[in-house]
Amino acid sequence: MHITTKRPLAALLTGLLLLALTTLSLQSPTHAAVSRPGASKLSGFFGGRLINPATGNPVKGVTVKVFEINTDNLLGQDKSGSAGYYRIDGLSAADEELDVRVNGSAVRYETGWVGCNHNVVPSWGDACSFPQGRQSPIKVQHL
């Protein structure tokens, strides 16, 4: 006698378990896990808005990059949209302080590190570090 005729519930549960295991083994890893191997929880973010301080208007097309503090280890990047907003997801809890750099050369805006007053400064030595989360607007001058 076959298991499906003698114990249909057991056969159903066995089939569901095999289906679940197959599905889990076929799923690809998330983008954050691929880009940052070994990072445990990647739920942090760094985001805000870029503005032109002379006009108060949003600045589109500037690349914002965040680095692990005091290193060249790039943690993520994003380009500001039409309303000037950017958001870099996938930061781990260990990324408590971040160095931030903007590159606006493609749209004729400043390039440099972000200073304590959220303005662009020419060197890393003049920059400040920032915590994760929503930031005050970064002021980027038009060249």
Side-chain angles (χ1 to χ4, degrees), residues 5-142:
T5 56
K6 190 167 184 170
R7 297 190 181 174
L9 183 58
L12 177 64
L13 290 176
T14 302
L16 288 174
L17 179 61
L18 288 172
L19 179 62
L21 289 173
T22 303
T23 303
L24 288 174
S25 67
L26 294 176
Q27 289 181 348
S28 63
T30 63
H31 173 71
V34 171
S35 64
R36 306 248 344 254
S40 54
K41 291 189 175 187
L42 299 175
S43 60
F45 77 95
F46 184 86
R49 190 173 193 203
L50 300 176
I51 62 165
N52 180 336
T55 64
N57 293 333
V59 178
K60 174 186 176 183
V62 172
T63 301
V64 179
K65 296 180 179 183
V66 293
F67 295 85
E68 184 178 335
I69 190 157
N70 297 326
T71 71
D72 290 331
N73 184 23
L74 177 65
L75 299 175
Q77 65 182 12
D78 191 24
K79 191 174 281 192
S80 60
S82 60
Y85 289 103
Y86 65 91
R87 183 178 170 115
I88 301 160
D89 289 309
L91 302 177
S92 78
D95 302 322
E96 294 177 3
E97 290 184 77
L98 306 167
D99 288 335
V100 183
R101 185 170 171 83
V102 296
N103 184 342
S105 62
V107 289
R108 297 184 23 203
Y109 276 83
E110 289 179 300
T111 293
W113 296 94
V114 178
C116 297
N117 293 329
H118 288 86
N119 55 327
V120 178
V121 295
S123 72
W124 177 82
D126 295 329
C128 285
S129 64
F130 297 92
Q132 291 187 33
R134 177 79 43 210
Q135 302 296 313
S136 298
I138 296 174
K139 299 169 270 195
V140 187
Q141 300 282 342
H142 188 266

